[in-house]
Amino acid sequence: YMYLDCSGTLGLPVPCLKKSVSSCRALLLLLVQVQLVSLCRFVGIQPFGTDAFLRSRLRAHLREIKVGG
């Protein structure tokens, strides 16, 4: 995996998962439709729906990873 770090850039330095979920939520608010769809495809979520729906699915996925990890 290449992580999307919480500064909004792709890279390996600090995975978003090691930071708080709230900072990842802030990052999700800054993403536009195309970026949300790409991120959904990357993590294996069906990329269909409104921006708000995709953000909620990604937040749920992040919570699931954080609890499982």
Side-chain angles (χ1 to χ4, degrees), residues 14-15 21 37-38 48-49 52-53 58:
V14 179
V21 174
V37 167
S38 296
F48 303 109
F53 180 72
L58 286 166

Side-chain angles (χ1 to χ4, degrees), residues 1 6 8 11 16 18-20 22-26 30 32 39 41 43 47-49 53 57 63-64 66:
Y1 278 118
C6 291
C16 191
K18 288 190 177 179
K19 294 194 176 200
S20 70
S22 62
S23 61
C24 292
R25 285 183 185 169
L30 299 174
V32 295
L39 197 52
R41 285 184 181 152
V43 297
F48 303 109
F53 180 72
R57 299 274 314 266
R63 263 188 251 116
E64 183 180 314
K66 188 143 181 116

